[in-house]
Amino acid sequence: MGVSDQAWTVETVLEELRTGGSEANRSGMARFGIETSKAFGVPLSVLRPLARRIRQSPERLPGLAQDLWESGWHEARLLAILLTPHRSLSPELALSWLNDIESWDLCDQLTNVLARRAGSNELVAALVADEREFVRRAGFALIAWRAVHAKSAPNSEFIEDLDLIEHFADDERNFVWKAVHWALRQIGKRSADLHQPALALAEALSASEDKTARKVGRAAARELTSEKVLARLRKPIEE
């Protein structure tokens, strides 16, 4: 990729992306269920270093992240997320961007940043109640990421999230049920105290009359009872 770092504008970034994209990567994205009608075919392994170069450049124009988002190009939107620190990702901005999202990877990258922001759990209930597939996914992805990143969050937050998981476990849409399952697994792996209630829900869902809920429950129970997870949860106690 050969564009100079002297002046990062939306135009120079898009040219960089055009140069770095490939039809092979676009095809790979499509195989993973990513909409590619407006994609260059640039992998994250290239986008992350590019984001670091742009962040470090003194010639980055103000508002570049928003301009990249508004361009509508898939990789430009991923860069917009990578260029936005969690302290700058206000709930209003996150919700505005979520309204445009029609791809699981954008959804997951955005919620990964949002989960690091204090108070982002307050968005969960509204997101999961939204009927739009990727907005609902965002709610459960946010739960999953907070289980990883929100180190000081109380257990009570995630116990409440289990009620949402139980309620929406029958949403059969591919990108929703996978996020529900992800959220349940991450809660159960967060701590020994949360493991038992998460596993209890997984086992209850495994016995559900609804096939999607059963799928969610069985997949979560399988991981939460694995020796790898159980050993990691025992480790702090033994030390």
Side-chain angles (χ1 to χ4, degrees):
M1 295 174 122
V3 175
S4 169
D5 290 6
Q6 290 183 354
W8 289 112
T9 66
V10 66
E11 290 80 13
T12 57
V13 173
L14 290 177
E15 182 56 33
E16 185 93 345
L17 294 174
R18 254 183 224 101
T19 303
S22 74
E23 191 56 42
N25 283 331
R26 287 182 78 248
S27 297
M29 292 165 65
R31 284 196 299 274
F32 280 96
I34 297 170
E35 171 57 47
T36 59
S37 60
K38 202 167 183 183
F40 297 110
V42 183
L44 264 176
S45 60
V46 172
L47 292 176
R48 291 187 190 280
L50 176 57
R52 287 194 291 272
R53 285 168 55 200
I54 295 172
R55 280 198 303 268
Q56 293 165 3
S57 172
E59 300 298 333
R60 172 170 53 126
L61 291 185
L64 179 60
Q66 184 62 37
D67 290 343
L68 288 171
W69 189 272
E70 291 175 0
S71 77
W73 287 96
H74 186 83
E75 292 90 346
R77 287 182 166 180
L78 281 169
L79 269 180
I81 295 168
L82 294 173
L83 290 171
T84 304
H86 69 272
R87 291 181 182 83
S88 301
L89 186 62
S90 67
E92 294 76 19
L93 179 59
L95 292 172
S96 171
W97 284 2
L98 273 173
N99 285 332
D100 297 332
I101 285 178
E102 294 184 354
S103 176
W104 64 266
D105 60 333
L106 285 170
C107 173
D108 294 359
Q109 288 296 326
L110 182 63
T111 50
N112 186 10
V113 178
L114 185 61
R116 301 164 195 265
R117 186 182 173 93
S120 59
N121 57 303
E122 296 174 6
L123 299 175
V124 166
L127 292 177
V128 301
D130 197 300
E131 288 292 336
R132 290 172 292 173
E133 183 173 10
F134 291 106
V135 178
R136 181 166 291 172
R137 180 185 174 91
F140 288 105
L142 183 55
I143 292 171
W145 284 124
R146 281 190 60 82
V148 175
H149 299 310
K151 303 299 185 184
S152 62
N155 284 345
S156 57
E157 173 187 327
F158 300 100
I159 294 296
E160 291 176 6
D161 290 336
L162 291 177
D163 292 336
L164 296 173
I165 289 170
E166 182 176 18
H167 183 76
F168 290 103
D170 61 354
D171 190 323
E172 64 184 3
R173 291 175 293 180
N174 186 54
F175 294 116
V176 176
W177 82 261
K178 287 185 176 180
V180 174
H181 155 245
W182 177 22
L184 180 53
R185 288 187 295 113
Q186 291 304 130
I187 290 174
K189 293 190 292 184
R190 180 177 166 89
S191 69
D193 289 339
L194 287 169
H195 180 264
Q196 191 280 326
L199 179 57
L201 176 56
E203 291 173 339
L205 292 174
S206 298
S208 171
E209 295 182 358
D210 181 86
K211 67 177 183 179
T212 303
R214 285 198 305 273
K215 186 163 54 174
V216 168
R218 288 171 181 172
R222 188 162 52 247
E223 181 163 354
L224 294 179
T225 55
S226 69
E227 186 52 39
K228 181 179 178 181
V229 169
L230 295 175
R232 187 172 65 79
L233 291 172
R234 285 194 298 264
K235 191 174 181 181
I237 298 174
E238 292 171 354
E239 292 178 349

